[in-house]
Amino acid sequence: MSETTRLGRVGVIGRFKPLHNGGALMLEAICENADQVVIGLGSSNKYNVRNPFTVEESAGMIQAHLSPRFSNYQLVPVPDFGHIPEFSDGKKWKEYVKEQFGFLDYFVSDNAYASELLKDTYKIIHPTALIPPEQHLKIRATEVRLKMARYENWQALVPEAVANYLETNGLVDRFRKEFGLQTIAAFLDANIYGKESYQEERDHTQEK
């Protein structure tokens, strides 16, 4: 992205459970290139093995990492509605995003399902368009959580400020007690490194 190019008002949605190095790099790139950034905290109404941190905790991780450098962003909770049968088509989620985010010059997403729902509302750009190829990272929060559950070096996969936030607030111990064994069982044979498909991303919105 050219230093003279500004993206205007930009939106992005992620679950950030936790915020890992790849997500942090994406948010930094957006904040650096945009005038205003609306960061949606996805699945804000869920607390389970795939969402073991609350929306307030996801916000705390982002603030811990971004606030020392940036002030041009706002955080907006974005709940899932797909687990409600009459809203399983994603239309209510789409309308909620449009209402909360308002006008955007661009929406940044690598989520195929979200992009499909929003493509007629916002101009979609992929995060890699903002990040030089040599800086691209392939990390999923699932990988971080699995390492956390196994007492492995999860800290290397998240920004230092995020690791400090998680440990200082006792969230690592809580996660292990509540979801550690379930995480290992759920993701032991899963592909935690590859990109999720459109159908997988849609299915996740319909989980209770």
Side-chain angles (χ1 to χ4, degrees):
M1 181 65 63
S2 168
E3 292 184 3
T4 60
T5 302
R6 300 299 295 174
L7 297 180
R9 181 176 167 87
V10 177
V12 62
I13 297 174
R15 292 188 302 120
F16 308 111
K17 299 183 180 184
L19 174 65
H20 54 63
N21 289 333
L25 184 63
M26 175 189 69
L27 294 181
E28 290 170 11
I30 297 172
C31 288
E32 286 171 351
N33 288 284
D35 297 315
Q36 296 177 298
V37 183
V38 183
I39 302 174
L41 305 174
S43 300
S44 61
N45 57 335
K46 292 183 177 177
Y47 184 72
N48 54 32
V49 67
R50 291 192 69 255
N51 300 279
F53 305 107
T54 68
V55 64
E56 293 82 8
E57 290 159 358
S58 293
M61 296 178 216
I62 293 172
Q63 292 279 42
H65 181 68
L66 290 184
S67 63
R69 291 182 55 196
F70 303 103
S71 60
N72 61 333
Y73 64 90
Q74 65 182 100
L75 303 174
V76 176
V78 179
D80 286 338
F81 300 99
H83 58 289
I84 304 172
E86 58 266 38
F87 301 139
S88 62
D89 60 3
K91 290 181 180 178
K92 182 172 178 62
W93 182 88
K94 174 182 177 178
E95 291 305 313
Y96 182 90
V97 171
K98 289 168 59 178
E99 178 182 333
Q100 295 297 315
F101 282 51
F103 168 80
L104 297 174
D105 292 290
Y106 297 96
F107 185 85
V108 179
S109 178
D110 67 347
N111 182 306
Y113 180 58
S115 297
E116 181 66 23
L117 288 174
L118 296 173
K119 68 180 183 180
D120 63 348
T121 303
Y122 298 126
K123 184 174 182 179
I124 309 292
I125 56 175
H126 196 276
T128 55
L130 306 176
I131 303 169
E134 65 274 12
Q135 295 182 23
H136 290 178
L137 295 174
K138 292 184 178 180
I139 304 173
R140 288 178 58 189
T142 304
E143 178 185 357
V144 182
R145 297 196 302 271
L146 188 56
K147 286 183 176 293
M148 193 179 291
R150 291 174 166 174
Y151 290 80
E152 296 175 353
N153 184 21
W154 60 271
Q155 293 93 335
L157 300 180
V158 304
E160 182 178 358
V162 172
N164 290 339
Y165 175 88
L166 288 165
E167 292 179 319
T168 299
N169 289 282
L171 302 183
V172 179
D173 288 339
R174 189 194 71 195
F175 163 75
R176 287 172 175 157
K177 290 177 182 178
E178 294 187 6
F179 298 110
L181 292 178
Q182 193 177 354
T183 296
I184 294 171
F187 301 114
L188 188 60
D189 298 320
N191 178 14
I192 63 171
Y193 305 104
K195 182 76 179 68
E196 291 189 325
S197 68
Y198 172 95
Q199 189 59 48
E200 287 173 325
E201 289 166 341
R202 179 173 181 171
D203 290 346
H204 291 324
T205 69
Q206 298 178 1
E207 294 173 347
K208 293 183 178 180

